[in-house]
């Protein structure tokens, strides 16, 4: 067994350490297809999400207050926001909508470049090889990001009209991410 195959076996055999404890449903098909290939395996993935989180420069346990990996309805979001507002205690809580993201280990530089080319062609604009010393890692992100402070000093900073518009845009961005995931899955 070569080094790439050994690393692939080790990585895919490990317990999931993500905040949600598994793959997002919308990206499972893509990850499974990559992992079945002899030249690729996924090392991390996200189908896109909306997050309410404490303002911080570091990812730490307890940072995320609420994660949504599907379309977010106004009533659900407003209810969750009302529950969270009391937890701010002088801290800033941010709203973030992030696109799909994926890290893939590739057997060769040519495999990595081929994946980058396919990803860019279908809309994963922020795609490139980020590591090439011990292994070739491709990092890919979709487009469409929103982020702003939403709670400060136990007060919601925006009105319902703004929230409805932001959720509409966020949901559209998430749907674009899911479309990009499916297009990439089909292209592999």
């Amino acid at each position: 067994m070569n080094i790439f195959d050994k690393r692939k076996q080790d990585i895919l055999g490990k317990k999931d350490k993500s905040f949600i404890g598994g793959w997002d449903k919308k990206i499972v098909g893509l990850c499974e297809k990559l992992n079945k290939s002899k030249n690729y395996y996924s090392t991390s993935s996200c189908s896109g999400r909306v997050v309410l989180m404490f303002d911080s420069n570091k990812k730490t346990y307890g940072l995320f207050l609420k994660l949504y990996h599907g379309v977010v309805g106004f009533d659900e979001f407003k209810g969750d926001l009302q529950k969270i507002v009391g937890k701010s205690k002088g801290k800033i809580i941010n709203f973030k909508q992030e696109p799909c993201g994926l890290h893939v280990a590739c057997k060769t530089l040519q495999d990595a470049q081929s994946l980058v080319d396919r990803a860019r062609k279908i809309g994963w604009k922020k795609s490139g090889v980020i590591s090439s010393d011990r292994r070739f890692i491709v990092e890919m992100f979709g487009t469409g990001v929103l982020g702003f402070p939403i709670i400060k000093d136990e007060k919601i900073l925006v009105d319902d009209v703004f929230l409805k518009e932001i959720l509409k845009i966020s949901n559209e961005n998430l749907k674009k991410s899911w479309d990009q995931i499916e297009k990439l899955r089909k292209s592999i």
Side-chain angles (χ1 to χ4, degrees):
M1 183 180 295
N2 64 36
I3 294 172
F4 178 84
D5 293 333
K6 174 73 172 115
R7 282 191 184 134
K8 180 175 182 175
Q9 183 179 37
D10 290 346
I11 294 294
L12 296 180
K14 287 183 180 179
K15 184 178 183 240
D16 190 310
K17 294 180 183 177
S18 67
F19 287 106
I20 65 168
W23 284 334
D24 301 345
K25 291 177 185 174
K26 301 273 188 205
I27 206 162
V28 169
L30 173 57
C31 290
E32 287 176 342
K33 196 165 186 182
L34 286 164
N35 294 338
K36 286 178 184 175
S37 165
K38 64 180 180 160
N39 297 335
Y40 302 109
Y41 62 92
S42 61
T43 61
S44 69
S45 64
C46 179
S47 65
R49 63 188 180 183
V50 170
V51 182
L52 290 170
M53 61 187 286
F54 287 111
D55 186 42
S56 176
N57 293 327
K58 295 180 182 179
K59 282 189 177 180
T60 59
Y61 183 77
L63 185 64
F64 298 119
L65 298 165
K66 187 69 181 178
L67 286 161
Y68 306 86
H69 284 94
V71 171
V72 185
F74 173 76
D75 292 335
E76 174 191 12
F77 186 79
K78 182 71 179 208
D80 290 338
L81 205 55
Q82 294 290 357
K83 292 174 192 169
I84 289 170
V85 73
K87 295 180 181 181
S88 62
K89 298 184 175 120
K91 295 182 181 178
I92 295 172
I93 295 175
N94 290 328
F95 172 99
K96 286 184 81 174
Q97 177 269 305
E98 300 171 323
C100 51
L102 184 62
H103 289 88
V104 179
C106 307
K107 194 168 199 170
T108 68
L109 181 57
Q110 292 78 18
D111 294 329
Q113 189 60 54
S114 173
L115 184 58
V116 167
D117 292 344
R118 275 185 265 162
R120 285 183 179 161
K121 185 182 271 187
I122 58 173
W124 296 63
K125 303 282 186 215
K126 298 178 181 178
S127 301
V129 179
I130 61 165
S131 177
S132 63
D133 55 346
R134 291 183 302 132
R135 58 186 180 157
F136 302 102
I137 300 291
V138 169
E139 179 180 71
M140 299 175 284
F141 288 101
T143 57
V145 178
L146 295 171
F148 57 90
I150 194 164
I151 296 174
K152 183 178 180 186
D153 298 326
E154 299 182 46
K155 183 178 186 227
I156 298 172
L157 301 174
V158 298
D159 63 19
D160 287 355
V161 173
F162 183 84
L163 281 179
K164 287 177 183 175
E165 188 61 28
I166 286 301
L167 290 174
K168 179 183 168 202
I169 294 167
S170 294
N171 288 333
E172 289 170 1
N173 286 347
L174 289 173
K175 289 175 186 176
K176 286 178 191 172
S177 281
W178 302 333
D179 184 51
Q180 289 173 330
I181 289 167
E182 187 57 21
K183 284 179 180 176
L184 185 58
R185 186 190 67 78
K186 287 178 179 177
S187 79
I188 294 174

